[in-house]
Amino acid sequence: MTMPSSTHVAGAAPGRYAVIGNPVAHSRSPRIHAMFGEQTGIPVDYGLLPAPLDGFEASVREFFASGGRGLNVTVPFKQEAWTLAGPRLSERARLAGAVNTLWQDDGALRGCNTDGVGLVADLRRLGVELNGARILMAGAGGAARGVLQPLAQAGCARIHIVNRTAEKAHALATEWLRATGAASPAVSAGGLEEAHKGGPWEVVINATSSSLGDAPPALPAGLYADGALAYDMMYGAQPTPFMRQARDDGAAATADGLGMLVGQAAESFFIWHGVRPDAEPVLAALRRELATAAPR
């Protein structure tokens, strides 16, 4: 992957970066990248860039034309960013069909997807042995699509994708297998009610947005192997509905997606600056801030 080199020199103005989305006011990315900058000694001017739903491309073009160095992309624009970066996509982004990191190289827009790298890094931080692991993925949208290849590269033995609409899960599995030509891991798909097929599972990942609606996905019981982890890509000050459901169903451990958020940001920071920050202290600081802000 072609990466821009960090060109900052003492006294120079910090490079300008932002997260683009709609809505975007809630994003913790400015805080995360500010802490990465402090940690690495790289001054970063990182802000919020709200874009009209019909004005993503224009907003991106204007940002880079005015001297912007890099953009993180959040909902609902990741697929538009993938199209915009065109042939200048990383392999991760090509297979994900979505882009969450944009930058320019020799005047050409480039795109990568760091979500899966962030997930894998966080699973490893939590002590999960991914090599040979059996993974259940609930959800077949962009969040699931973005993490399939990194999970496969981590050596997972099996990935079973389930979704409320089974056809969508089958389509994702078929598209990924066709794009990669992979014989391993074994990838299968079905409806939520088929989540137990092939289990029990060492890791169950909630890639749906169910926790935003304060309800867990409609998964059957009996999913978890001994010592299994339940991982929700959503995060909050309190355990998510999926995490509570998993505990009731026998998961040995649960985790939310705050570590994934920090991990994908660290990979974006590396792409832009050529320096890999330490995610651990930033994650700890965010966790403390979440706890402090939580209603009591």
Side-chain angles (χ1 to χ4, degrees):
M1 174 168 46
T2 303
M3 297 186 299
S5 58
S6 179
T7 57
H8 180 77
V9 295
R16 191 159 66 90
Y17 302 84
V19 56
I20 184 170
N22 184 333
V24 78
H26 65 284
S27 175
R28 296 183 183 272
S29 291
R31 175 73 175 131
I32 293 170
H33 282 269
M35 285 191 280
F36 285 160
E38 292 168 8
Q39 180 192 112
T40 60
I42 299 173
V44 175
D45 174 8
Y46 190 112
L48 301 171
L49 182 58
L53 292 176
D54 60 352
F56 172 73
E57 180 174 353
S59 298
V60 170
R61 300 290 188 198
E62 181 180 350
F63 176 82
F64 284 107
S66 63
R69 299 285 299 277
L71 284 172
N72 283 130
V73 184
T74 188
V75 293
F77 298 127
K78 290 184 181 183
Q79 287 178 304
E80 281 190 65
W82 186 85
T83 301
L84 196 57
R88 295 170 296 277
L89 296 168
S90 70
E91 183 68 359
R92 294 196 301 249
R94 184 184 71 81
L95 292 172
V99 159
N100 75 338
T101 305
L102 290 168
W103 71 98
Q104 281 193 328
D105 183 56
D106 292 332
L109 195 65
R110 295 185 177 272
C112 187
N113 190 308
T114 67
D115 287 331
V117 174
L119 173 64
V120 167
D122 201 38
L123 291 173
R124 286 175 170 155
R125 179 188 67 86
L126 293 164
V128 175
E129 176 53 67
L130 289 171
N131 190 36
R134 292 167 297 159
I135 309 283
L136 173 68
M137 179 92 67
R145 182 183 298 271
V147 303
L148 276 177
Q149 179 67 5
L151 285 171
Q153 290 177 327
C156 296
R158 179 158 189 211
I159 302 174
H160 186 45
I161 306 164
V162 294
N163 193 63
R164 184 171 55 85
T165 306
E167 291 78 10
K168 191 173 180 181
H170 283 291
L172 174 55
T174 300
E175 289 169 19
W176 185 82
L177 288 167
R178 184 186 301 123
T180 61
S184 179
V187 175
S188 55
L192 291 176
E193 70 280 1
E194 299 174 276
H196 63 282
K197 292 186 176 179
W201 307 99
E202 277 110 23
V203 181
V204 178
I205 299 170
N206 181 26
T208 77
S209 58
S210 64
S211 291
L212 291 177
D214 200 30
L219 291 168
L223 297 178
Y224 294 90
D226 290 343
L229 169 72
Y231 191 99
D232 197 336
M233 288 189 181
M234 300 293 171
Y235 67 89
Q238 304 297 328
T240 67
F242 168 75
M243 292 164 67
R244 297 195 298 269
Q245 175 196 63
R247 282 288 191 188
D248 291 343
D249 192 32
T254 61
D256 69 12
L258 188 62
M260 176 180 171
L261 175 70
V262 176
Q264 64 80 25
E267 186 70 9
S268 291
F269 192 93
F270 173 68
I271 288 171
W272 292 331
H273 304 290
V275 176
R276 194 177 299 280
D278 183 358
E280 284 278 5
V282 175
L283 175 57
L286 286 179
R287 188 67 71 189
R288 288 192 299 269
E289 291 170 9
L290 268 179
T292 302
R296 301 191 182 277

